[in-house]
Amino acid sequence: MNPEHVFPEEAERLRRSLPRWAEAGRLPPERSAQLADLARRTMATPGTTSRSSHPRQSHPPRWRVTAAATAVAVAVLVGMASLIPRGGAWAEAATDWLSRYVNLHARSDPGWAWARQHTAFQEVLAADRDQDYTFRVHRVLADPTQTIVIYSLAGPEPLAGDAVPALAKVEFNGRPLTTPRVLRSGVIDGVQVGHLELRPLPTAEGTLRITLDHIGAVAGRWQVSFPVTRVPLAQWARTIPVEKTLDLPGVPLQVTEVRLTPTATTISVRYSGAGPPPELGHGPGGAVRLLTAAGDEVPYQGSSRETRQDEKQAPVHTWQLRFGPVPAGTERVTLRVEGLARPVPGSRLVLALTPGAVATAGGQPAVQVAGVQENRAVLQWQQPVEMPYRDWWVLDQHGDAYRAQAGWEVVSGVTRRTVRWNGAWAPLPQGRRAVRLEAREVWEQVSGAWEVAISLESPGRSRSS
Amino acid sequence: MDDETFLRLLTEHEGRLYRVALAITGQDADAWDALQDAVEAAVRHRHELRGGPRAFPAWMQRIVVHRCLNLLRSRRRMVPVDSLAPPEPGSPAAPQDRVEDRAVWEAVSRLDPRQREIVALRYLADMSLDEISSYLDLPIGTVKSRLYRALRRLRATLSAEGERGALP
């Protein structure tokens, strides 16, 4: 259920009051003058880098880096002798902001803190320049549960908006690394920096190659290659086979493995039932949690899912649920899923392609045809469920089906929100006309919490509770 | 649009833009930084503004929001040393503030930072939950759960303050 349906008055009050509060804002005269001055000076010197030419009002550092943390950071960078030798003027220049970047993340991410403490960030000297912009890779952290690549971007102009590099390709030992990746970026000390979060490398050593085709709005080609090894961290990794069932209603999931490293925890969960796999942690208050016996929650970092076929050619879906590192000495954890979405077995929505037609299925919101054009249609339904209907097809007068492509948006009303579905399909064969729309999957939200306890005491099989 | 008109519009909307940045970032220093960043970017790209003065507020706000989101992403999961302090008096109670609006803002400012971000992006920047999910790189379920907790907390806070009467 959408939170704004549960708390409609509060949502409405925020919609009214916050914009009004913002409109009433006034800057103190001193700041107003500074802003105007900044704007005029920027206007007067187009093409220059504003940070160097137009000093702005500074403010006290917001991040307090302790002397101990600084010493550790320096030790990390100096003590890399066993890995790639240092060199290059830009590597030296990057030390300051790089150590701050690592320290910033280490403050809240135990995995980064551990990696910093154990000098696990491997130094990289790889850069490429195109369109007057330079993409540099500075550090990589590779362990059996994740791969982190820290990069920076530099160019003649400040990059507009939330300029993240657009990955064209990530390859390892010449083969595409098709695992999910995340980019995070920001600005620190005037440097556009960020890091990639990749899933673990398939083998212990090799060459990672990253290719970009955009940096913000700037198109080009940047490619860097560098060796990576996860060998130094393998000694701290532990994999525990598990045979436990997470008994979700109508959805049997098998917890098959826990992989522990000082930087992260990965739990493998498998679904091999009929039909599409469920969506875990779905709905208001939905979450996927990992709890220790002491009641502490290990931070959830996201998940990925892969689908393969078993020996009978049936699909097997496996999630990799990623969490922060489990505290040392933890003997048992509990995996908890709160809320899920699942397909309603045997349900299908069929809707006449006529303006005003209404249909419903599987106990989900009624759908109305808001408009019909050639090869296009607009449907709408009321929330709380955003996408109860999926896998859309259009049927002609003979019952032949053609796949429809759709996008959807949520339109705000005063007290209700409407989901507007915009679908389109390729022109039908001559003599055929679209007469019906069909959603072959109907999904429902299920509230509840389900959990399974997992022993971490030994690398052998865990005992059933 | 000539430069003087651009500067006049900037001055006219600077207070609102600052408060939008403050609501998203939660810190006066961050908000002021983001606003200056945004002004520099906007000035450099002012020739891309289409639609004249009427389009300026929404265009400029988008730039401010993007700058704020840059800050948030670079500090994802970070807790600044002084983050638990209430917003600094860059935005003191002003005589032009309606009492009700001030009460709502103060309740919002006391939310957990991650809940406050979502509230600001939803109700000030007018972003959909999917856009927020995408920009903050969070699962949609996490966005919804944070919004749920924020609204629940606001209900409790605003109800209690309503019983006590309007805030001074």
Side-chain angles (χ1 to χ4, degrees):
Chain A
M1 184 177 292
N2 187 290
E4 292 170 321
H5 278 197
V6 181
F7 303 102
E9 292 179 10
E10 287 71 27
E12 187 50 34
R13 200 166 169 184
L14 287 168
R15 280 194 195 96
R16 276 200 323 265
S17 284
L18 275 186
R20 255 195 332 239
W21 167 82
E23 281 293 336
R26 301 287 183 271
L27 282 187
E30 177 186 293
R31 277 189 169 178
S32 181
Q34 286 167 347
L35 213 58
D37 184 53
L38 173 63
R40 285 198 180 87
R41 282 187 282 114
T42 307
M43 282 174 176
T45 54
T48 59
T49 302
S50 64
R51 295 182 205 285
S52 59
S53 303
H54 308 295
R56 301 180 338 209
Q57 184 199 34
S58 62
H59 50 73
R62 297 182 295 286
W63 310 98
R64 197 184 306 143
V65 179
T66 65
T70 305
V72 169
V74 171
V76 165
L77 297 170
V78 169
M80 293 276 196
S82 61
L83 299 172
I84 303 166
R86 296 184 59 189
W90 61 265
E92 301 291 335
T95 296
D96 188 43
W97 69 256
L98 191 54
S99 62
R100 289 188 65 194
Y101 189 77
V102 172
N103 290 341
L104 286 177
H105 284 277
R107 287 170 64 103
S108 69
D109 189 324
W112 282 63
W114 183 93
R116 181 188 64 185
Q117 183 182 357
H118 292 82
T119 65
F121 283 98
Q122 303 168 37
E123 185 176 0
V124 177
L125 295 174
D128 197 10
R129 180 183 174 86
D130 190 20
Q131 306 300 317
D132 291 330
Y133 283 88
T134 303
F135 170 63
R136 292 191 177 98
V137 174
H138 299 270
R139 297 284 186 273
V140 63
L141 166 68
D143 71 27
T145 65
Q146 65 182 342
T147 308
I148 304 286
V149 178
I150 302 177
Y151 66 84
S152 70
L153 306 170
E157 294 279 347
L159 293 162
D162 53 345
V164 294
L167 290 175
K169 229 174 352 181
V170 178
E171 298 164 288
F172 184 69
N173 289 341
R175 301 182 67 178
L177 199 63
T178 56
T179 52
R181 55 223 182 194
V182 175
L183 298 179
R184 303 192 188 278
S185 72
V187 175
I188 181 168
D189 287 349
V191 180
Q192 188 104 11
V193 305
H195 67 274
L196 313 182
E197 294 179 2
L198 310 174
R199 286 184 62 199
L201 302 176
T203 59
E205 290 182 313
T207 298
L208 192 63
R209 182 163 61 201
I210 300 170
T211 306
L212 313 180
D213 56 17
H214 276 85
I215 291 181
V218 179
R221 187 173 185 277
W222 299 263
Q223 188 177 80
V224 297
S225 297
F226 48 91
V228 184
T229 179
R230 66 170 203 235
V231 168
L233 292 173
Q235 60 185 307
W236 281 288
R238 194 157 65 99
T239 299
I240 303 171
V242 177
E243 282 185 359
K244 283 290 194 80
T245 298
L246 183 58
D247 217 355
L248 308 183
V251 180
L253 297 184
Q254 295 295 320
V255 180
T256 59
E257 183 182 270
V258 177
R259 192 180 297 176
L260 305 168
T261 72
T263 55
T265 304
T266 303
I267 297 181
S268 301
V269 177
R270 186 179 64 216
Y271 169 77
S272 50
E279 294 176 356
L280 307 179
H282 194 89
V288 177
R289 302 186 194 279
L290 189 65
L291 304 167
T292 68
D296 298 319
E297 183 166 355
V298 183
Y300 179 58
Q301 295 178 344
S303 69
S304 59
R305 195 184 73 214
E306 292 180 334
T307 300
R308 298 183 179 178
Q309 289 182 325
D310 63 14
E311 60 277 6
K312 299 176 185 175
Q313 304 300 309
V316 176
H317 311 275
T318 303
W319 287 267
Q320 303 295 333
L321 307 177
R322 296 190 303 279
F323 302 88
V326 171
T330 300
E331 296 179 345
R332 181 179 289 267
V333 293
T334 298
L335 176 65
R336 181 179 170 95
V337 173
E338 298 172 2
L340 64 89
R342 66 182 180 188
V344 180
S347 279
R348 181 177 290 208
L349 176 80
V350 180
L351 188 61
L353 210 48
T354 307
V358 176
T360 186
Q364 299 307 306
V367 179
Q368 182 180 46
V369 179
V372 180
Q373 296 177 322
E374 187 174 357
N375 304 321
R376 310 178 77 85
V378 178
L379 310 179
Q380 59 188 33
W381 59 86
Q382 301 298 323
Q383 285 200 319
V385 183
E386 287 183 350
M387 277 307 292
Y389 305 110
R390 310 183 189 186
D391 192 20
W392 289 90
W393 297 76
V394 62
L395 278 67
D396 67 19
Q397 69 271 35
H398 298 295
D400 291 334
Y402 312 85
R403 185 168 285 281
Q405 302 295 328
W408 57 282
E409 60 181 340
V410 179
V411 180
S412 298
V414 176
T415 57
R416 306 177 76 181
R417 288 165 66 84
T418 301
V419 177
R420 186 165 291 163
W421 177 98
N422 300 290
W425 50 89
L428 271 54
Q430 193 170 10
R432 303 292 184 108
R433 56 188 171 82
V435 297
R436 288 202 307 276
L437 277 174
E438 186 176 87
R440 296 182 173 177
E441 292 177 13
V442 178
W443 285 66
E444 62 179 352
Q445 283 177 192
V446 182
S447 298
W450 308 274
E451 56 186 45
V452 60
I454 304 169
S455 172
L456 306 180
E457 283 183 283
S458 72
R461 293 178 186 278
S462 63
R463 292 191 295 271
S464 301
S465 58
Chain B
M1 182 188 302
D2 58 82
D3 286 354
E4 283 311 306
T5 301
F6 189 94
L7 288 170
R8 177 181 60 76
L9 288 168
L10 186 59
T11 303
E12 190 178 311
H13 292 277
E14 63 188 14
R16 179 179 63 83
L17 296 169
Y18 167 79
R19 281 191 168 183
V20 169
L22 179 67
I24 296 173
T25 63
Q27 295 288 312
D28 169 71
D30 286 351
W32 181 229
D33 235 16
L35 182 58
Q36 292 178 89
D37 262 354
V39 165
E40 284 182 328
V43 168
R44 290 189 188 284
H45 296 273
R46 63 193 184 279
H47 303 299
E48 298 171 17
L49 170 59
R50 299 285 179 266
R54 290 180 63 184
F56 178 88
W59 177 82
M60 188 68 214
Q61 179 170 294
R62 273 198 298 276
I63 298 175
V64 169
V65 170
H66 280 150
R67 285 303 194 248
C68 293
L69 289 172
N70 269 349
L71 272 174
L72 294 182
R73 276 201 296 271
S74 73
R75 292 164 188 167
R76 185 55 46 204
R77 298 185 304 232
M78 293 307 304
V79 178
V81 172
D82 55 347
S83 72
L84 298 180
E88 298 173 24
S91 171
Q96 68 273 18
D97 285 343
R98 294 164 68 137
V99 170
E100 176 195 350
D101 298 341
R102 187 68 195 170
V104 169
W105 162 244
E106 292 194 351
V108 169
S109 69
R110 291 198 290 265
L111 288 173
D112 173 89
R114 291 175 193 175
Q115 295 170 12
R116 188 209 64 251
E117 288 167 13
I118 301 227
V119 167
L121 292 172
R122 180 77 189 95
Y123 299 104
L124 269 178
D126 203 29
M127 294 172 72
S128 70
L129 298 186
D130 289 285
E131 287 174 311
I132 296 171
S133 164
S134 175
Y135 274 110
L136 295 183
D137 196 20
L138 294 172
I140 186 67
T142 302
V143 173
K144 287 181 177 179
S145 68
R146 289 183 186 176
L147 180 60
Y148 179 90
R149 292 189 195 115
L151 293 173
R152 182 177 62 188
R153 174 84 184 272
L154 287 169
R155 170 179 281 185
T157 305
L158 294 170
S159 297
E161 290 169 354
E163 289 172 3
R164 290 198 296 267
L167 294 177

